[in-house]
């Protein structure tokens, strides 16, 4: 069992963390809203993007083969990994063959899934994160708390202290330009001396074998251009059928993520350095990681999970994520997308409480640029978590089933499906309900910050009859 | 909207009271029915109704939810609109009944039923084109939009447009109007700490408006918000919009 | 290992029940009136923290010298490009020193990483919707020229500015001729990772100067 519910109060009782997230999420929500101010334009673009991803998911096996064929023809080496362990071994093999001792990394959530840095360190290869946010949390020995803005949980003061402690010659300063310049200085040398660059992929275009990466800092371009070797890591679902799909997805992604119309850089890589070209890596490798995704694919409803373009809008708008932050989720993907993805990748037995950590408020559904029905999928996973047998779709199905809960819902059904039972029970509750003590089970949780609900004395059923409303 | 029921004014409507209103806010249910009646409609309250089934559906107990849903569908047999004073219960019946029965023999029945479901304020505005005359004293109020009302039923401006019809009512925008209050049915007891944090923030935002009343179209939210307001000793009180509208148009105290 | 993995992954995907492939809905990226296109392009670039100058074909080298005066001691150019040749033929003594990017990166790394102040590239197009330069690096104009020097100067001809990316991809037939690398650039390198406060030049150029050649 994961202990999301137990961990939540730690974050809730940390006022600095609460403030950091609240401020950040408020800013991101208003910036996104400004980007999609025209509802008709948003609807049309969103439908185009959603269908591009829906088609890519529907045609996934043949598109993966097409991507492989195109990349190979373009000179990119394609590797397949079923598990993160296999992916790590593939990366290590490539690096060892090249004699690489140090890699510089662009941002990659797949590499977080693989815990690649830790793995490489264990094999004597230094992995340096170069995205500023990733660099900060690497210094702090932490995991990302957001899939787009990994160090969003930290404020300036915390980062200033971290830099003062870790960067030679830099005193404590909260000046953001000075902090940024210090990181540039340190990382520039790392770039110049790295033996390989590792990056993620935002969209891989099957039609042309092109890897599209978006970023603002330039570290992604550096990681994929300056070192002699580039290894790109991607989940098998990050596909688009054609180059035509790239523009709508590029329009949706940064606007949804950070409220910017376009990222500073859109980097489209189609091959390694060609003869006569003066720079770019001599070799480019693409590692396609499954790690549970093909299992998600097996179920027609759950398959929609694989449309995700990792913009993070769902977490930015999630009232639960905003209050507990990313680390409470413990797994790589937090927020609403994490609540549906993690139980599918890791199993309901170890992450089965996550689908329940939602009010089903639909704020995520409203903003998802590719129309993933997140709330319906949460309900589906809740269903799977308490039922086994009728479906093998999700690992750990039925692991949260309890006799007590099953009987409670059976009882609930009996009462609400039999008008005589309902009438009797509600008339009794209306009269006696206020006698329930505030410390009774369930009432205790409710009354922590609320007074007891007040039963009205007479039900609407009774009052409607008294007032002469027609019964039929 | 292409629902045929929107095009013309019916003579008779059903009223689905909801289980929360039945036990905790029957006054809101009566007010809703009275508002409809004053528009010249015959309002029918079938006694066999209970709950839309959302608690079971949202908890993953779909068979149980289906059994209760079928009982509701059976309780509203005639081809009259079903008016619901809750965006959340209406959302369950409108959008999730068809999902629940997809691929089952009852699907067409569920689909036909769902097409007749209306949220109360939406019905007042878009079907009845109601005209309200304010008979109350000047008052400042704020609005809490329920998540399912807004995001499943598309009811965002309808209730506020009703409030704007009232000449002596000043509607103060709630800075966090669209943020979930943290109720979420069983969520409030499954994740009590997170729910508490959410409702505490909601109450603070309501307090910021400087009004004396917060209105909403959903009694689940109101139970949560009112409980927290009362526990924190705030002078603000939450009410269902139906009660408020009825009181304003009847003159003070005219419930 | 990879072969088995490939077979297993594709096998599982193929074993799953197929769903229908939805149709792609029509969608048009924003278009602009001819007379507002360039204005929008320049204005957006400025909003994105770029410095924009509208220049003539004859006058851009002089404008470049003015722009760099006092800011850069050296300017890296691609000597085999049209702009590189023009500068080599006619540059002035008191202007920043021209450094040619004329050998493979392995032989020029130190200069590139630490040794030049500015780099000059020519965009193949501009995009009005987003204020974007389209760079199409090749054997003559290397990729790092627009990335490592702290100041990136880009030439773009007004006639090449289009409304949006789909139009450009279609008109230039990208899908059949994708090069090693295409880069869309919209402003200087930036980050907001520290408290969502914008800071420029975190890894790439701190300054982007765009010379729009009216042609």
């Amino acid at each position: 069992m994961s202990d999301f519910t137990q961990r939540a109060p730690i974050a809730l009782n940390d006022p600095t963390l609460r403030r950091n997230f609240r401020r950040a999420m408020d800013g991101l929500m208003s910036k996104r809203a400004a980007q999609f101010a025209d509802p008709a334009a948003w609807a049309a673009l969103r439908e185009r993007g959603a269908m591009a991803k829906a088609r890519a998911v529907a045609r996934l096996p043949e598109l993966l083969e097409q991507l492989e064929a195109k990349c190979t023809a373009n000179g990119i080496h394609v590797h397949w990994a079923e598990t993160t362990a296999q992916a790590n071994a593939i990366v290590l093999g490539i690096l060892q063959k090249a004699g690489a001792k140090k890699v510089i990394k662009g941002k990659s959530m797949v590499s977080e899934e693989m815990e690649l840095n830790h793995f490489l360190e264990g094999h004597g290869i230094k992995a340096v994160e170069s995205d500023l946010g990733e660099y900060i949390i690497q210094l702090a020995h932490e995991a990302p708390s957001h899939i787009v803005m990994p160090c969003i949980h930290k404020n300036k003061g915390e980062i200033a202290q971290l830099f003062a402690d870790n960067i030679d010659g830099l005193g404590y300063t909260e000046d953001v330009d000075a902090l940024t310049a210090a990181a540039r200085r340190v990382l520039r040398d790392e770039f110049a001396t790295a033996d390989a660059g590792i990056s993620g992929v935002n969209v891989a275009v099957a039609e042309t074998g092109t890897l599209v990466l978006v970023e603002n800092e330039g570290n992604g371009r550096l990681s994929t251009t300056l070192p002699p070797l580039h290894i790109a890591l991607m989940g098998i679902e990050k596909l688009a059928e054609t180059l035509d799909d790239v523009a709508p997805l590029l329009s949706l992604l940064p606007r949804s993520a950070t409220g910017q119309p376009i990222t500073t850089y859109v980097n489209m890589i189609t091959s390694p350095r060609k003869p006569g070209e003066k720079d770019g890596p001599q070799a480019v490798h693409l590692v396609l990681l499954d790690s549970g995704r093909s299992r998600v694919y097996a179920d027609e409803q759950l398959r929609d999970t694989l449309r995700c373009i990792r913009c993070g809008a769902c977490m930015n708008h999630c009232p639960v994520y905003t209050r507990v932050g990313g680390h409470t989720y413990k797994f790589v993907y937090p927020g609403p997308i994490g609540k549906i993805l993690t139980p599918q990748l890791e199993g309901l037995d170890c992450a089965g409480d996550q689908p329940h950590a939602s009010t089903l408020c639909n704020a995520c559904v409203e903003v998802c640029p590719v129309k993933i029905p997140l709330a319906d999928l949460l309900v589906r996973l809740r269903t799977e978590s308490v039922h086994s047998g009728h479906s093998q779709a999700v690992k750990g199905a039925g692991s949260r089933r309890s006799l007590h809960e099953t009987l409670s819902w059976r009882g609930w059904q009996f009462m609400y499906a039999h008008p005589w039972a309902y009438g009797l029970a509600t008339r009794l509750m209306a009269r006696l309900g206020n006698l329930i003590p505030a410390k009774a089970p369930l009432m205790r949780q409710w009354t922590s910050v609320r007074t007891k609900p007040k039963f009205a004395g007479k039900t609407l059923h009774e009052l409607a009859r008294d007032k002469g409303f027609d019964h039929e | 909207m292409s629902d045929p029921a929107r095009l013309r004014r019916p003579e008779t409507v059903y009223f689905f009271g909801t289980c929360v209103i039945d036990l905790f806010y029957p006054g809101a249910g009566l007010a809703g029915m009275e508002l409809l009646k004053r528009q010249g409609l015959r309002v029918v309250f079938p006694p066999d109704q209970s709950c839309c089934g959302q608690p079971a559906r949202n908890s993953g107990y779909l068979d149980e939810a289906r059994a209760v849903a079928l009982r509701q569908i059976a309780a509203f047999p005639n081809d009259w609109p079903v008016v619901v004073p809750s965006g959340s219960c209406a959302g369950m019946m409108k959008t999730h009944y068809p999902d629940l029965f997809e691929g089952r023999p009852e699907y067409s029945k569920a689909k036909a039923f769902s097409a007749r479901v209306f949220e109360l304020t939406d019905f007042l505005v878009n079907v009845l084109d109601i005209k309200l005359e304010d008979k109350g004293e000047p008052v400042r109020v704020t609005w809490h939009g329920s998540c399912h009302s807004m995001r499943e039923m598309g009811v965002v401006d309808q209730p506020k447009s009703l409030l704007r019809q009232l000449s002596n009512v000043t509607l103060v925008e709630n800075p966090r109007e669209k943020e979930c209050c943290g109720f979420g049915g069983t969520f409030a007891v499954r994740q009590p700490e997170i729910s508490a944090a959410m409702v505490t923030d909601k109450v603070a935002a309501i307090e910021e408006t400087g009004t004396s009343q917060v209105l909403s179209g959903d009694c689940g939210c109101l139970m949560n918000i009112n409980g927290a307001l009362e526990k924190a000793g705030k002078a603000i009180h939450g009410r269902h919009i139906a009660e408020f509208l009825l009181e304003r148009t009847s003159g003070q105290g005219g419930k | 290992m990879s072969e088995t993995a490939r077979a297993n992954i594709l096998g599982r995907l193929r074993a799953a029940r197929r769903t229908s492939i939805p149709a792609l809905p029509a969608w048009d990226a924003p278009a602009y009136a001819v007379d507002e296109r360039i204005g929008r392009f320049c204005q957006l670039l400025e909003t994105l923290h770029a410095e924009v100058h509208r220049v003539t074909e004859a006058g851009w080298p002089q404008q470049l010298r003015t722009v760099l005066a006092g800011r850069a001691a050296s300017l890296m150019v691609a000597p085999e490009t049209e702009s590189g040749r023009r500068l080599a033929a006619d540059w002035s003594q008191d202007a920043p020193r021209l450094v040619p990017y004329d050998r493979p990166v392995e032989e020029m790394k130190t200069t590139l990483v630490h040794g030049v102040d500015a780099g000059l590239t020519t965009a193949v197009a501009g995009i009005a919707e987003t204020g974007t330069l389209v760079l199409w690096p090749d054997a003559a104009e290397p990729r790092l020229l627009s990335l490592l020097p702290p100041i990136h100067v880009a030439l773009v001809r007004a006639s090449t500015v289009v409304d949006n990316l789909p139009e450009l991809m279609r008109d230039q037939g990208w899908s059949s001729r994708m090069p090693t690398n295409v880069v869309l650039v919209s402003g200087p390198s930036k980050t907001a990772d520290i408290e969502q406060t914008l800071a420029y030049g975190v890894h790439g150029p701190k300054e982007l100067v765009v010379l729009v050649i009216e042609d």
Side-chain angles (χ1 to χ4, degrees):
Chain A
M1 278 283 168
S2 121
D3 39 355
F4 180 93
T5 312
Q6 275 86 58
R7 267 193 315 276
I10 302 170
L12 289 168
N13 293 321
D14 180 342
T16 308
L17 191 80
R18 287 278 294 278
R19 231 182 355 258
N20 293 352
F21 272 100
R22 187 65 160 183
R23 195 199 48 229
M25 299 304 125
D26 278 352
L28 289 164
M29 285 193 286
S30 66
K31 281 167 76 182
R32 178 201 164 274
Q35 282 298 320
F36 297 117
D38 176 350
W42 153 246
L45 172 61
R46 184 191 199 200
E47 186 64 19
R48 179 65 176 76
M51 289 309 106
K53 286 305 294 186
R55 284 177 64 91
V57 170
R59 299 187 56 213
L60 191 55
E62 57 263 32
L63 291 182
L64 280 168
E65 285 189 306
Q66 189 187 0
L67 177 74
E68 179 187 41
K70 281 288 170 184
C71 284
T72 306
N74 296 339
I76 295 176
H77 303 277
V78 179
H79 310 261
W80 302 69
E82 285 189 86
T83 61
T84 54
Q86 283 180 12
N88 279 326
I90 289 166
V91 172
L92 181 65
I94 298 166
L95 293 175
Q96 282 176 337
K97 201 170 156 198
K101 288 281 165 230
K102 180 164 79 181
V103 300
I104 190 93
K105 283 185 64 203
K107 210 174 130 32
S108 156
M109 291 312 292
V110 164
S111 79
E112 299 287 344
E113 279 183 60
M114 293 159 62
E115 298 181 53
L116 177 65
N117 296 359
H118 179 71
F119 173 82
L120 290 180
E121 302 279 341
H123 289 81
I125 295 173
K126 186 179 171 193
V128 182
E129 293 288 351
S130 65
D131 170 87
L132 181 60
E134 292 281 353
Y135 174 68
I136 288 166
I137 58 165
Q138 189 175 34
L139 287 182
H141 305 287
E142 290 178 11
S145 61
H146 188 286
I147 63 169
V148 176
M149 289 144 287
C151 74
I152 203 153
H153 58 291
K154 289 203 175 301
N155 62 29
K156 220 156 35 184
E158 295 169 283
I159 294 164
Q161 193 56 56
L162 198 59
F163 275 32
D165 293 344
N166 285 278
I167 298 179
D168 287 342
L170 184 74
Y172 182 94
T173 172
E174 290 188 9
D175 182 275
V176 173
D177 286 320
L179 292 168
T180 305
R184 177 184 171 109
R185 214 164 43 239
V186 172
L187 290 168
R188 186 100 345 179
D189 291 330
E190 301 281 14
F191 274 117
T193 52
D195 302 306
I198 293 181
S199 76
V201 175
N202 291 99
V203 184
V205 183
E207 177 189 31
T208 55
T210 300
L211 311 179
V212 183
L213 283 73
V214 301
E215 53 144 351
N216 287 312
E217 298 187 359
N219 69 305
R221 284 180 68 197
L222 280 171
S223 303
T224 58
T225 313
L226 190 53
L229 171 65
H230 168 211
I231 304 173
L233 310 171
M234 68 175 262
I236 54 170
E237 80 285 18
K238 281 289 196 75
L239 279 172
E241 284 181 292
T242 66
L243 216 48
D244 277 348
D245 290 340
V246 170
L249 293 174
L250 282 182
S251 187
L252 286 166
L253 177 57
R255 293 162 85 187
S256 299
T258 52
Q260 49 178 148
I262 188 168
T263 51
T264 298
Y265 302 117
V266 175
N267 181 11
M268 303 176 148
I269 297 165
T270 306
S271 79
R273 186 192 310 187
K274 289 193 187 116
E277 292 176 351
K278 296 184 182 68
D279 55 19
Q282 310 279 5
V284 177
H285 294 260
L286 174 66
V287 181
L288 300 168
L289 175 67
D290 180 347
S291 189
R293 288 163 174 83
S294 59
R295 186 182 174 119
V296 175
Y297 195 79
D299 185 274
E300 288 153 83
Q301 185 189 20
L302 296 171
R303 199 178 287 177
D304 284 344
T305 310
L306 300 176
R307 286 187 196 179
C308 179
I309 58 172
R310 305 282 190 267
C311 70
C314 61
M315 55 200 76
N316 298 347
H317 290 74
C318 178
V320 173
Y321 174 87
T322 300
R323 291 185 176 75
V324 301
H327 289 153
T328 301
Y329 296 79
K330 205 172 80 178
F331 295 96
V332 175
Y333 301 98
I337 186 64
K339 285 177 211 176
I340 60 167
L341 187 57
T342 305
Q344 297 186 69
L345 299 184
E346 307 287 336
L348 282 161
D349 39 353
C350 71
D353 56 352
Q354 294 210 14
H356 290 277
S358 164
T359 60
L360 302 180
C361 79
N362 280 268
C364 51
V365 178
E366 190 173 46
V367 297
C368 176
V370 289
K371 292 182 145 180
I372 298 173
L374 287 130
D376 289 344
L377 296 180
L378 285 169
V379 171
R380 169 69 192 278
L381 290 168
R382 290 178 183 187
T383 309
E384 294 293 335
S385 76
V386 290
H387 295 87
S388 49
H390 77 86
S391 157
Q392 292 304 309
V394 189
K395 196 173 125 211
S399 57
R400 290 176 65 84
R401 188 179 178 84
S402 76
L403 184 64
H404 166 73
E405 202 178 290
T406 308
L407 289 178
S408 299
W409 285 110
R410 289 278 159 75
W412 177 90
Q413 176 192 329
F414 185 83
M415 170 176 159
Y416 286 88
H418 293 89
W420 65 265
Y422 177 78
L424 186 65
T426 50
R427 277 196 298 276
L428 267 172
M429 283 195 279
R431 283 157 183 82
L432 304 174
N434 290 330
L435 302 176
I436 300 170
K439 298 281 173 214
L442 300 183
M443 193 61 93
R444 194 176 56 235
Q445 285 89 328
W446 178 266
T447 53
S448 65
V449 292
R450 306 168 192 88
T451 54
K452 286 196 296 178
K454 290 175 188 57
F455 289 86
K458 268 189 167 183
T459 65
L460 178 62
H461 276 74
E462 295 172 272
L463 293 170
R465 197 183 48 217
D466 294 352
K467 297 268 178 183
F469 281 98
D470 277 334
H471 273 45
E472 199 53 59
Chain B
M1 292 270 169
S2 58
D3 294 324
R6 277 194 196 274
L7 302 177
R8 58 184 173 76
R9 190 185 176 92
E11 285 173 9
T12 306
V13 294
Y14 279 127
F15 197 79
F16 179 79
T18 84
C19 62
V20 172
I21 282 183
D22 207 8
L23 279 175
F24 302 102
Y25 292 94
L30 281 182
M33 290 194 277
E34 186 62 33
L35 282 173
L36 293 165
K37 198 170 139 190
R38 286 189 185 183
Q39 291 298 299
L41 304 183
R42 178 175 164 238
V43 182
V44 175
F45 185 90
D48 283 0
Q49 61 177 294
S50 59
C51 166
C52 63
Q54 184 177 189
R57 183 258 176 191
N58 286 3
S59 298
Y61 290 86
L62 304 190
D63 288 339
E64 290 80 355
R66 274 188 281 264
V68 170
L70 282 177
R71 198 65 198 78
Q72 307 316 307
I73 294 170
F76 296 82
N78 294 312
D79 188 26
W80 302 326
V82 180
V83 181
V84 186
S86 156
S88 191
C89 310
M92 171 71 185
M93 295 170 136
K94 186 132 199 117
T95 65
H96 300 307
Y97 275 17
D99 299 349
L100 273 174
F101 293 101
E102 188 150 9
R104 289 167 186 263
E106 303 93 341
Y107 176 76
S108 56
K109 199 161 70 173
K111 184 85 186 158
F113 174 81
S114 73
R116 291 192 278 132
V117 173
F118 291 83
E119 189 274 341
L120 174 65
T121 63
D122 179 48
F123 191 80
L124 293 176
V125 172
N126 287 322
V127 180
L128 300 183
D129 192 20
I130 193 170
K131 297 288 176 265
L132 301 171
E133 191 196 337
D134 195 0
K135 295 180 180 167
E137 295 297 308
V139 66
R140 287 158 56 84
V141 300
T142 190
W143 177 254
H144 164 73
S146 99
C147 297
H148 293 161
S149 196
M150 294 185 293
R151 304 191 185 100
E152 287 188 345
M153 294 302 287
V155 174
V156 181
D157 194 59
Q158 293 90 321
K160 293 199 280 181
S161 78
L162 292 171
L163 297 173
R164 284 193 295 265
Q165 284 192 36
L166 301 171
S167 51
N168 269 340
V169 174
T170 307
L171 176 62
V172 183
E173 291 295 324
N174 172 354
R176 304 240 179 232
E177 176 193 322
K178 294 183 178 179
E179 184 175 87
C180 180
C181 69
F183 175 58
T186 56
F187 176 84
V189 289
R190 275 184 192 269
Q191 302 288 344
E193 290 91 355
I194 303 173
S195 176
M198 288 165 72
V199 75
T200 304
D201 288 351
K202 176 56 76 176
V203 161
I206 290 168
E207 207 181 1
E208 251 179 67
T209 64
T211 56
S212 59
Q213 294 188 55
V214 53
L215 305 175
S216 181
D218 265 277
C219 285
C221 309
L222 282 171
M223 195 160 76
N224 182 39
I225 293 170
N226 268 337
L229 282 167
E230 193 178 63
K231 180 104 174 184
K234 308 290 180 195
I236 312 165
H237 183 61
R239 300 183 73 190
H240 193 280
I241 186 171
E243 264 182 311
F244 182 79
L245 293 179
L246 185 66
E247 183 181 296
R248 299 297 300 188
T249 53
S250 310
Q252 290 289 348
K255 283 194 206 179
Chain C
M1 178 169 68
S2 192
E3 271 308 302
T4 320
R6 181 184 188 279
N8 290 345
I9 294 167
L10 288 174
R12 278 194 295 273
L13 295 178
R14 288 237 156 75
R17 181 136 33 131
R18 303 307 298 250
T19 49
S20 60
I21 301 165
L24 270 186
W27 169 73
D28 292 311
Y32 309 94
V34 179
D35 53 347
E36 63 175 290
R37 189 182 298 143
I38 286 289
R40 181 188 166 91
F41 172 72
C42 295
Q43 191 212 321
L44 277 181
L45 270 167
E46 282 174 346
T47 310
L48 292 166
H49 212 70
E51 180 182 322
V52 181
H53 300 276
R54 297 174 75 157
V55 296
T56 59
E57 187 70 58
W60 70 257
Q62 178 54 45
Q63 181 69 51
L64 177 61
R65 282 191 289 272
T66 311
V67 162
L68 294 179
R71 279 154 88 174
S74 55
L75 171 68
M76 185 171 252
V77 295
E80 299 155 48
T81 60
E82 190 195 324
S83 57
R85 278 194 295 270
R86 180 153 168 205
L87 290 189
D90 178 25
W91 197 234
S92 66
Q93 288 301 317
D94 52 350
R97 178 173 50 92
L98 291 186
V99 181
Y101 190 166
D102 54 2
R103 281 163 293 147
V105 59
E106 287 76 13
E107 298 169 34
M108 306 213 40
K109 220 172 197 175
T110 314
T111 309
L112 271 163
V113 172
H114 293 295
V116 282
D117 300 323
L120 176 73
T121 68
T122 306
V124 298
I127 299 172
E129 183 193 355
T130 45
T132 299
L133 300 165
V134 182
L135 304 183
W136 195 281
D138 58 15
E141 189 181 279
R143 293 159 73 169
L144 293 165
L145 197 51
S146 62
L147 186 57
L148 282 168
I151 303 172
H152 172 207
V153 184
L155 300 175
V156 59
R157 291 193 162 70
S159 61
T160 65
V161 176
V162 298
D163 285 342
N164 54 59
L165 180 61
E167 180 190 337
L168 185 68
M169 287 178 162
R170 208 166 37 238
D171 291 354
Q172 297 189 344
W174 282 24
S175 60
S176 60
R177 54 184 281 265
M178 285 299 278
T180 304
N181 184 225
V182 182
V183 187
L184 312 184
V185 177
S186 309
S189 156
K190 64 172 182 268
T191 183
D193 275 342
I194 303 176
E195 275 195 14
Q196 295 80 56
T197 308
L198 268 180
Y200 292 94
V202 54
H203 289 295
K206 196 178 174 77
E207 295 174 74
L208 171 65
V209 180
V210 182
L211 304 183
V212 180
I213 300 171
E214 313 276 1
D215 59 338

